[in-house]
């Protein structure tokens, strides 16, 4: 009777292959930069004309709230070491934040279109407050954590 190895036995998994697959999946699950690097990555993609590399992808970014624009939007980043350009964050039912709060935001990157964002939120926004963001990057927040420690 020939000796059968795990490779030839149906239903047996190869631990090394399974581990490699799990590592690959976890590495790609939130691909892209996080923290302040995430803000820079998103801004640079838009500036270089490569917005499609980040639009529709979930990112987690962190920094201090730069400006509170309305009850539904604020910017994060800016006035930090490295002069990170502030990134617009749009939120629906998230907790209110204050200027200079340290936050970690997780959400999907999009290209800001005033009418579409207004429709998604189901509110009337003051268009003049958002004119400078039209066509630029923003994150549609899914989670906002406050009182985070920034590096």
């Amino acid at each position: 009777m020939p000796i059968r190895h795990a490779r030839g036995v149906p239903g047996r998994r190869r631990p090394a292959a399974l581990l490699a697959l799990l590592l690959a999946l976890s590495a790609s699950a939130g691909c892209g930069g996080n923290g302040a690097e995430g803000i820079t990555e998103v801004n640079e993609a838009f500036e270089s004309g490569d917005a499609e590399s980040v639009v529709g992808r979930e990112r987690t970014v962190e920094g201090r709230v730069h400006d509170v624009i309305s009850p539904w939007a604020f910017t994060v980043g800016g006035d930090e070491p490295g002069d990170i350009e502030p990134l617009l964050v749009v939120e629906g039912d998230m907790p209110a934040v204050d200027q200079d709060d340290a936050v970690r935001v997780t959400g999907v990157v999009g290209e800001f279109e005033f009418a579409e964002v207004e429709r998604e939120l189901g509110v009337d926004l003051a268009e003049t407050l958002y004119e400078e963001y039209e066509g630029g990057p923003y994150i549609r927040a899914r989670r906002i954590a406050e009182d985070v420690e920034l590096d």
Side-chain angles (χ1 to χ4, degrees):
M1 177 181 255
I3 298 175
R4 296 186 71 177
H5 297 282
R7 192 182 303 184
V9 177
R12 297 277 312 249
R13 296 185 184 179
R14 290 178 245 156
L18 183 59
L19 179 60
L21 176 63
L22 290 173
L23 289 173
L25 289 174
S26 66
S28 67
C31 62
N34 286 324
E37 296 84 21
I39 296 171
T40 301
E41 175 198 15
V42 170
N43 284 332
E44 286 178 354
F46 272 76
E47 289 171 9
S48 70
D50 188 29
E52 65 275 357
S53 69
V54 293
V55 168
R57 298 182 189 256
E58 185 170 280
R59 290 290 187 266
T60 298
V61 299
E62 60 186 33
R64 295 208 174 272
V65 174
H66 187 263
D67 286 317
V68 177
I69 299 166
S70 73
W72 302 281
F74 61 92
T75 60
V76 64
D79 294 337
E80 296 176 2
D83 291 320
I84 298 167
E85 186 69 27
L87 180 63
L88 179 64
V89 175
V90 175
E91 50 164 332
D93 299 321
M94 301 291 165
V97 297
D98 293 315
Q99 188 171 5
D100 293 324
D101 282 355
V103 296
R104 180 176 300 115
V105 177
T106 299
V108 176
V109 176
E111 182 174 337
F112 188 82
E113 295 177 18
F114 178 80
E116 184 167 324
V117 171
E118 190 175 49
R119 183 184 53 74
E120 283 179 12
L121 293 176
V123 296
D124 290 326
L125 300 173
E127 191 168 1
T128 56
L129 295 176
Y130 297 90
E131 288 174 341
E132 70 181 278
Y133 303 104
E134 190 70 31
Y138 82 104
I139 291 187
R140 178 71 159 96
R142 291 187 176 162
R143 287 183 301 279
I144 299 174
E146 295 181 82
D147 300 324
V148 298
E149 287 191 37
L150 301 175
D151 294 332

